[in-house]
Amino acid sequence: MTDNLSIEQRGLRESATFDRATIAAIQRAAETGIYDIRGWGAKRKLPHFDDLLFLGASMSRYPLEGYRERCDTDVWLGTRNAKYPLHLSTPVTIAGMSFGALSAGAKEALGRGASEVGTSTTTGDGGMTPEERGQSKHLVYQYLPSRYGMNPDDLRKADAIEVVLGQGAKPGGGGMLLGQKISERVAAMRTLPEGIDQRSACRHPDWTGPDDLAIKINELREITDWEKPIYVKVGASRTYYDVKLAVHSGADVVVVDGMQGGTAATQEVFIEHVGIPTLAAIPQAVQALQELGVHREVQLIVSGGIRNGADVAKAMALGADAVAIGTAALIALGDNDPRYAKEYEAIGSAAGYYDDFQDGRDPAGISTQDPELSARFDPVLGGKRLANFLRVMTMEAQTIARACGKAHLQHLEPEDLVAISIEAAAMARVPLAGTGWIPGSGL
């Protein structure tokens, strides 16, 4: 008789501590004796931008008319020292994702989409590809601990350089690219064996602190004739101190990547248990810049879980100059598309749940080096899809800014925000909705 009863009818209750996902993880670890590796980012629920709301204009504030009054979206990046700072039409940029983690076609599509709307893309670990450089109006070259594919000539071809000290999904940890994705071309670019797992270093080999980093930044400036902006990227953890040290080291732009940021592959325990939420990191970064008197002079780019125009507007209201997207960009290209539902199921996943980027079996042809799978992906169509998505994000952010009476996205400010949870109010340092209370402020 009990076989026909539902779990609820049988009186069974799932443990909050040992839920089904936790039990499955224990069972998998016991069976295999190895930790789990996956892509994507944190899946646990964290305080995020959805916990913030804008205070649109009514009587005490006046909105702007969307069809008659301007709301500008452009941003300058790298104005502190660079001879040629970047001038972007939208503050939504593309985060670093490597050739190796992504197919050559996907990298080309990112360049095409970003260029169509006047923003930048970023190389990622493994070096610069002709496909991406050829299609990117503004290309940021990542300088990583691994030095995979590092080429001084490519540094000079880039429009900016991003010194990567950490990533939101794995601050303090190095990257992974498993052997099944190490094609002949990827291996040649990284000067490593074909078909063998590649693990990136967790720290740079030629410096150990901010004083050494200052020397390295000056070296990069000399290589590029002081023309290119120098970014420093940190994974959000001790954000206040890291941002201050990045500024003291000479960074023109600081990139702060929260723990909702994605990754091609790392240990799941890293993804879920290391770092702090993006929402908590932004006010710390802004405070550091303000105390040094360089907020807006040294630009702040925020990444980690940016999904739509509302997220863009909220990040900028908290003090960011621009944002970067990674996972959302891949979804816009066609990753996790329902049209591949049967093929995702065939490899043990499902459309909307696929996170095994490390396996190189992506049916959409995006996170793979398999020639047959990557041939499915059309970089021209992918670029158009990404451009559409970037336009929508920008227009959504504009709509919100106008509703708050702002003629530029950078005019948004914390005063325009309230929080709907105590955690978000404390992290973002804005009042709890309906009150003047900012938890932890004493006010």
Side-chain angles (χ1 to χ4, degrees):
M1 293 291 292
T2 58
D3 291 344
N4 296 323
L5 298 177
S6 68
I7 288 175
E8 292 78 9
Q9 289 171 328
R10 294 180 213 174
L12 302 179
R13 183 179 174 191
E14 185 172 356
S15 168
T17 304
F18 290 91
D19 59 12
R20 278 169 284 178
T22 301
I23 291 171
I26 293 171
Q27 292 169 338
R28 187 208 55 77
E31 290 169 3
T32 64
I34 58 174
Y35 51 68
D36 195 18
I37 296 173
R38 67 169 174 86
W40 209 272
K43 294 190 176 183
R44 63 161 66 195
K45 183 171 174 55
L46 295 162
H48 199 39
F49 294 115
D50 286 344
D51 295 315
L52 300 181
L53 298 175
F54 276 100
L55 299 174
S58 183
M59 186 68 185
S60 58
R61 300 288 187 276
Y62 292 95
L64 298 184
E65 177 56 62
Y67 295 98
R68 290 184 295 178
E69 296 177 285
R70 290 176 55 181
C71 178
D72 293 329
T73 65
D74 66 313
V75 60
W76 288 88
L77 298 175
T79 55
R80 185 187 190 193
N81 292 299
K83 183 177 180 181
Y84 300 122
L86 300 188
H87 187 206
L88 308 181
S89 300
T90 173
V92 187
T93 69
I94 306 300
M97 293 176 281
S98 75
F99 168 64
L102 303 185
S103 65
K107 293 295 286 180
E108 177 184 339
L110 292 173
R112 286 179 178 274
S115 297
E116 191 170 325
V117 300
T119 192
S120 64
T121 188
T122 312
T123 59
D125 210 349
M128 180 188 292
T129 64
E131 292 93 339
E132 188 171 30
R133 176 65 280 186
Q135 298 299 332
S136 296
K137 180 179 180 182
H138 306 288
L139 180 61
V140 182
Y141 188 97
Q142 281 197 330
Y143 187 78
L144 293 109
S146 71
R147 300 291 194 272
Y148 289 157
M150 208 293 287
N151 184 327
D153 291 330
D154 288 341
L155 283 175
R156 298 184 184 98
K157 293 176 186 175
D159 301 292
I161 300 167
E162 182 172 290
V163 181
V164 180
L165 303 184
Q167 187 177 338
K170 50 191 177 190
M176 295 184 181
L177 192 63
L178 301 189
Q180 55 265 44
K181 297 181 78 172
I182 311 300
S183 66
E184 181 180 358
R185 182 182 178 189
V186 172
M189 287 182 65
R190 300 183 182 219
T191 321
L192 288 170
E194 184 177 349
I196 303 297
D197 292 354
Q198 296 181 8
R199 294 173 180 259
S200 300
C202 63
R203 66 180 189 226
H204 287 262
D206 49 356
W207 77 76
T208 56
D211 293 337
D212 294 339
L213 176 57
I215 295 171
K216 178 57 65 174
I217 287 177
N218 280 330
E219 178 184 311
L220 294 172
R221 291 196 194 284
E222 290 174 9
I223 290 172
T224 58
D225 296 325
W226 288 74
E227 294 179 347
K228 323 290 185 182
I230 306 293
Y231 300 10
V232 172
K233 179 178 180 178
V234 298
S237 53
R238 295 175 174 85
T239 309
Y240 172 81
Y241 299 103
D242 289 344
V243 170
K244 281 201 167 185
L245 290 173
V247 173
H248 282 305
S249 298
D252 299 311
V253 178
V254 179
V255 183
V256 175
D257 192 22
M259 71 175 290
Q260 291 99 322
T263 181
T266 196
Q267 300 98 319
E268 185 170 38
V269 70
F270 244 122
I271 295 173
E272 298 289 359
H273 300 285
V274 182
I276 65 172
T278 306
L279 193 62
I282 302 173
Q284 292 185 30
V286 173
Q287 179 185 352
L289 294 171
Q290 289 174 337
E291 288 181 2
L292 293 173
V294 296
H295 187 222
R296 304 303 185 193
E297 177 188 349
V298 173
Q299 287 80 43
L300 174 65
I301 299 177
V302 170
S303 55
I306 306 292
R307 306 155 298 174
N308 50 47
D311 290 350
V312 176
K314 290 171 186 178
M316 297 187 71
L318 290 175
D321 295 277
V323 303
I325 61 171
T327 302
L330 299 186
I331 294 170
L333 293 184
D335 190 39
N336 271 275
D337 196 290
R339 71 179 183 273
Y340 296 117
K342 290 183 178 179
E343 293 184 64
Y344 283 123
E345 290 171 10
I347 57 176
S349 188
Y353 294 84
Y354 180 67
D355 59 15
D356 292 325
F357 299 149
Q358 74 283 354
D359 284 348
R361 299 187 292 167
D362 183 4
I366 293 171
S367 59
T368 181
Q369 298 302 317
D370 184 291
E372 292 185 10
L373 293 175
S374 59
R376 296 178 173 184
F377 181 74
D378 182 347
V380 176
L381 177 59
K384 290 180 178 177
R385 289 174 57 92
L386 176 62
N388 284 339
F389 177 57
L390 292 169
R391 288 191 187 99
V392 170
M393 292 182 79
T394 306
M395 288 189 291
E396 287 175 339
Q398 277 180 302
T399 297
I400 289 172
R402 284 193 178 101
C404 293
K406 306 300 170 71
H408 198 293
L409 292 185
Q410 288 189 335
H411 295 169
L412 290 165
E413 55 190 326
E415 189 268 341
D416 296 314
L417 293 169
V418 294
I420 57 173
S421 72
I422 292 175
E423 292 87 353
M427 289 181 182
R429 305 179 188 179
V430 299
L432 190 65
T435 78
W437 177 47
I438 301 176
S441 68
L443 301 177

